[in-house]
Amino acid sequence: MVDFVPRQGELAMSITRLTRSTTLAFLLALVLTLCGASAAFASDGTFLTEWGTGAGSRPVAIDVDPAGNAYVTQIGAGFNRVEKFDSSGSSILTWGGGVLVSPRGIAVDPSGTIVYVADYGTNATNGQYVRKYDASGNLLDTWSGFGRPDGVAVDSAGNVYVAERGTGSIKKLDSDGTLLATWSGPAVDLNNPIDVAVDSAGYVYVTDRGNNRVRKLDSAGNVVDTWTGFAAPDGIGVDAANNVYVAEYQQNRARKFDSAGGLVLSLTPPTAYDGPRGIAVDSADNVYVTDMEAHRIVVFGTTPPPPPVSVPASSTWSMLALALGALGVLYLSRGRLAIQRA
């Protein structure tokens, strides 16, 4: 055994029968620590915070821009609008009142400057549009020709995907509203598709509510996978690592899956859900859930890693010497450290 007992305030350690492989791992960790390296962690489902959207407001869908501002569609008497919140949950502005009939899905483009809203409407002549706004709520364009649009998503190239409950289809459009493709019929077999999300690899995920499943499509609209085990799934979102998050209103749950459909964890708030409807992930992998009947937004993230240990230089060199010595015989040669293999 080799024991190193530093002065008070320094890191103490003991190495017993240290092998070359573990020593190399130790050296790598030490170098990363000394260089100040850090790692990003996908959400582990830790509850972070929640905020209310107002009595009578039923928050439907949510998306988050690169700056961490959250955009929420709301329905209910006196609402039918979009509300923008900062990262702490403070309201910044609202828009769409008197224009939006029944706003459902919402998506922010990669630049954070354009916001798309799927207006579900009430009939063929009242709503059923996709509205294009800037981030301050100014209406830029209105796209028609949809049948009960509910979910909307934007890919990294700025293309827009719309889930149409009324037609059981997914429509892909460019950022000017030009239709690029329609995926429908027996080939995709969608029944009441309610939301859509696109990952960094171009795969498209659809909550196929009427069939109690999630469909995974490639960029050409071909079905590549089907995930079952859901009960009327609603909102869907993806993170930077292509993990997929699904909210289930009827089951009062929200869950995280890997890109192959394997269950990773459940996102459970301290106070039980009452109708989780929408879900989104920000650039820091925090997860936002619209808890519709509880009139709130619930946010999950990652337990912060412990702060880096401050190791005085004398201790650092002592640890390095111990690690190198375990690889062989450590000695000084012409003023330089050298290792003689054992």
Side-chain angles (χ1 to χ4, degrees):
M1 175 183 290
V2 180
D3 288 307
F4 168 60
V5 182
R7 294 187 299 274
Q8 185 176 6
E10 296 179 341
L11 183 65
M13 64 177 294
S14 176
I15 301 176
T16 305
R17 298 181 65 184
L18 195 61
T19 66
R20 284 190 175 89
S21 60
T22 54
T23 301
L24 289 173
F26 172 81
L27 284 173
L28 177 60
L30 180 60
V31 169
L32 290 174
T33 300
L34 293 177
C35 292
S38 61
F41 298 88
S43 176
D44 65 4
T46 299
F47 170 78
L48 296 182
T49 189
E50 64 178 66
W51 69 79
T53 57
S57 163
R58 302 176 69 213
V60 182
I62 187 167
D63 203 7
V64 187
D65 69 20
N69 299 305
Y71 302 76
V72 180
T73 53
Q74 301 171 15
I75 60 174
F79 288 92
N80 293 319
R81 68 186 189 185
V82 173
E83 188 164 8
K84 180 178 179 179
F85 299 87
D86 66 18
S87 58
S88 66
S90 297
S91 180
I92 298 173
L93 60 90
T94 63
W95 75 73
V99 175
L100 296 169
V101 177
S102 184
R104 302 297 178 92
I106 191 165
V108 184
D109 81 344
S111 71
T113 60
I114 301 296
V115 181
Y116 298 92
V117 179
D119 194 351
Y120 188 77
T122 57
N123 54 55
T125 60
N126 190 15
Q128 301 198 53
Y129 303 115
V130 170
R131 308 275 192 181
K132 180 178 180 179
Y133 294 89
D134 66 19
S136 297
N138 298 302
L139 181 61
L140 304 177
D141 203 357
T142 297
W143 304 344
S144 58
F146 300 96
R148 298 291 191 181
D150 203 309
V152 64
V154 186
D155 67 19
S156 59
N159 297 308
V160 181
Y161 301 76
V162 180
E164 289 187 315
R165 295 181 70 175
T167 64
S169 64
I170 303 297
K171 286 184 176 174
K172 179 179 179 180
L173 308 97
D174 67 17
S175 58
D176 293 322
T178 300
L179 182 64
L180 302 177
T182 299
W183 304 332
S184 61
V188 290
D189 188 26
L190 298 173
N191 178 9
N192 238 356
I194 200 166
D195 202 9
V196 60
V198 188
D199 72 13
S200 63
Y203 288 106
V204 179
Y205 301 84
V206 181
T207 43
D208 189 9
R209 197 174 196 270
N211 288 320
N212 298 312
R213 64 189 182 184
V214 169
R215 290 286 234 183
K216 181 177 180 179
L217 315 177
D218 64 18
S219 58
N222 301 302
V223 177
V224 296
D225 204 356
T226 299
W227 306 346
T228 57
F230 299 94
D234 293 283
I236 193 165
V238 296
D239 65 20
N242 296 336
N243 297 301
V244 180
Y245 301 77
V246 180
E248 292 176 89
Y249 178 97
Q250 290 186 1
Q251 297 299 309
N252 281 320
R253 67 186 179 190
R255 295 183 292 173
K256 175 182 178 179
F257 301 83
D258 62 30
S259 60
L263 179 62
V264 177
L265 55 83
S266 293
L267 301 157
T268 306
T271 304
Y273 289 120
D274 187 8
R277 175 59 160 77
I279 196 163
V281 189
D282 70 14
S283 58
D285 285 338
N286 298 310
V287 183
Y288 301 71
V289 180
T290 58
D291 196 8
M292 195 172 188
E293 310 307 338
H295 322 294
R296 64 176 179 169
I297 308 299
V298 185
V299 187
F300 302 88
T302 301
T303 304
V309 178
S310 177
V311 182
S314 58
S315 299
T316 301
W317 284 111
S318 298
M319 288 188 290
L320 185 59
L322 284 169
L324 291 171
L327 288 173
V329 178
L330 181 69
Y331 65 95
L332 284 171
S333 174
R334 298 181 180 179
R336 295 185 300 173
L337 285 172
I339 298 175
Q340 178 179 327
R341 296 278 183 188

